[in-house]
């Protein structure tokens, strides 16, 4: 083992209920990081472009039905199939900004009747551990004011309220660097906060190995 000057990228995850503004903020963060000279790329889960992603996409669009355990495992498999690429990028020094990750996986499935948090977490144990998880907090009433939900599966307010409760349980885990951001703020205010947390996480990650999630 050589004492290295190797500087890996950081794994930064944005989570939150639907319509909290995750995708907008991911894009702005990647752009800001790139402009400040830090290599950064965006990823999103589910990644609907792979074979597994296409099965998931059809399920979300209600073009197909899948058994609940099965679809949970597909979402997890969709993350695992991208792990070699994620590791490669991180090791090359690229910071990954990821729109949803295992936390959405657990929060959404465990919002269904009969699914424990533990069962839902197990297939994702050992994934690359995020250096920062930004949770875009939005009150269900505020989310409702952002207009009608779309027609995809899970897009209804009662289900989303349960999902938020599950996220709150996951946030109690002190082994992860959760940062809760008030998503009711303006796009620019949110972006500034997210950028500040990200800069800190990137600097910290440089001198640390990639961790393993929930292990
Ligand atoms: P999207 O709208 O960000 O593409 O996310 C698609 C939906 O899939 C969203 O309602 C959250 C849900 N989801 C899961 O149920 N499990 C998962 O593992 C992930 C990543 C998303």
């Amino acid at each position: 083992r050589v004492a290295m000057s190797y500087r890996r990228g950081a794994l930064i995850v944005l989570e939150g209920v639907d319509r909290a503004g995750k995708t907008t903020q991911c894009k702005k963060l990647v752009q800001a990081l790139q402009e400040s000279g830090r290599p950064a790329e965006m990823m999103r889960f589910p990644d609907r472009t792979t074979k597994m992603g296409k099965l998931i996409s059809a399920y979300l669009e209600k073009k197909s039905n899948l058994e609940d355990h099965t679809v949970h495992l597909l979402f997890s498999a969709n993350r695992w199939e991208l792990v070699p690429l994620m590791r490669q990028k991180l090791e090359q020094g690229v910071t990954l900004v990821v729109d949803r990750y295992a936390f959405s996986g657990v929060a959404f499935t465990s919002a269904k009747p009969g699914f424990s948090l533990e069962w839902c977490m197990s297939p994702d144990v050992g994934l690359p551990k995020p250096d920062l998880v930004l949770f875009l907090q939005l009150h269900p009433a505020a989310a409702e004011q952002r207009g009608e939900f779309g027609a995809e599966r899970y897009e209804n307010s009662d289900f989303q309220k349960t999902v938020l409760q599950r996220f709150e349980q996951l946030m109690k885990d002190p082994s992860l660097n959760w940062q809760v951001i008030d998503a009711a703020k303006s796009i620019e205010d949110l972006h500034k906060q997210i950028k500040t947390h990200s800069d800190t996480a990137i600097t910290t990650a440089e001198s640390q190995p990639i961790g393993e999630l929930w292990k």
Side-chain angles (χ1 to χ4, degrees):
R1 183 75 75 98
V2 186
M4 355 126 285
S5 57
Y6 133 80
R7 297 187 159 194
R8 70 167 176 96
L11 179 56
I12 299 174
V13 169
L14 271 79
E15 283 284 8
V17 292
D18 290 353
R19 298 191 302 180
K22 292 181 295 298
T23 305
T24 304
Q25 292 298 331
C26 282
K27 288 180 182 159
K28 284 184 76 75
L29 178 59
V30 169
Q31 198 186 343
L33 291 172
Q34 288 174 347
E35 280 167 6
S36 65
R38 295 189 190 269
E41 289 179 24
M42 182 172 163
M43 293 182 75
R44 68 175 313 142
F45 291 110
D47 178 336
R48 302 188 193 214
T49 65
T50 70
K51 279 181 195 157
M52 259 167 285
K54 292 200 171 90
L55 294 173
I56 293 168
S57 189
Y59 170 80
L60 289 170
E61 292 168 10
K62 298 181 185 166
K63 288 179 182 157
S64 71
N65 283 315
L66 289 168
E67 192 275 331
D68 288 329
H69 300 78
T70 309
V71 77
H72 182 75
L73 296 171
L74 274 179
F75 273 110
S76 177
N78 181 234
R79 285 183 279 281
W80 281 107
E81 68 179 336
L82 270 306
V83 167
L85 180 68
M86 291 173 75
R87 288 196 176 279
Q88 189 190 337
K89 298 271 184 196
L90 292 170
E91 280 158 13
Q92 285 168 351
V94 178
T95 285
L96 296 177
V97 175
V98 185
D99 189 348
R100 298 189 191 277
Y101 200 49
F103 314 101
S104 275
V106 174
F108 279 77
T109 301
S110 69
K112 298 177 178 180
F115 284 86
S116 70
L117 229 48
E118 289 67 30
W119 187 88
C120 293
M121 287 162 81
S122 51
D124 286 311
V125 169
L127 280 177
K129 180 181 176 174
D131 299 292
L132 171 64
V133 191
L134 293 154
F135 187 79
L136 272 55
Q137 181 85 270
L138 192 64
H139 193 275
E144 253 162 65
Q145 284 178 355
R146 297 190 172 187
E148 292 295 305
F149 272 117
E152 281 210 333
R153 212 178 284 265
Y154 305 144
E155 293 185 333
N156 75 76
S157 29
D158 281 342
F159 189 74
Q160 296 280 329
K161 277 178 199 159
T162 314
V163 170
L164 180 56
Q165 288 169 1
R166 297 296 178 266
F167 272 125
E168 282 162 359
Q169 283 174 271
L170 291 173
M171 277 185 251
K172 289 179 187 156
D173 178 357
S175 75
L176 282 157
N177 179 17
W178 284 98
Q179 299 291 337
V180 180
I181 311 280
D182 177 10
K185 291 201 176 133
S186 76
I187 290 178
E188 284 309 321
D189 282 353
L190 230 66
H191 170 65
K192 275 187 202 141
Q193 278 190 51
I194 288 172
K195 177 69 166 50
T196 304
H197 285 301
S198 300
D199 286 336
T200 309
I202 290 168
T203 307
T204 309
E206 280 176 351
S207 57
Q208 287 178 353
I210 302 167
E212 291 178 297
L213 180 63
W214 294 325
K215 229 177 172 176

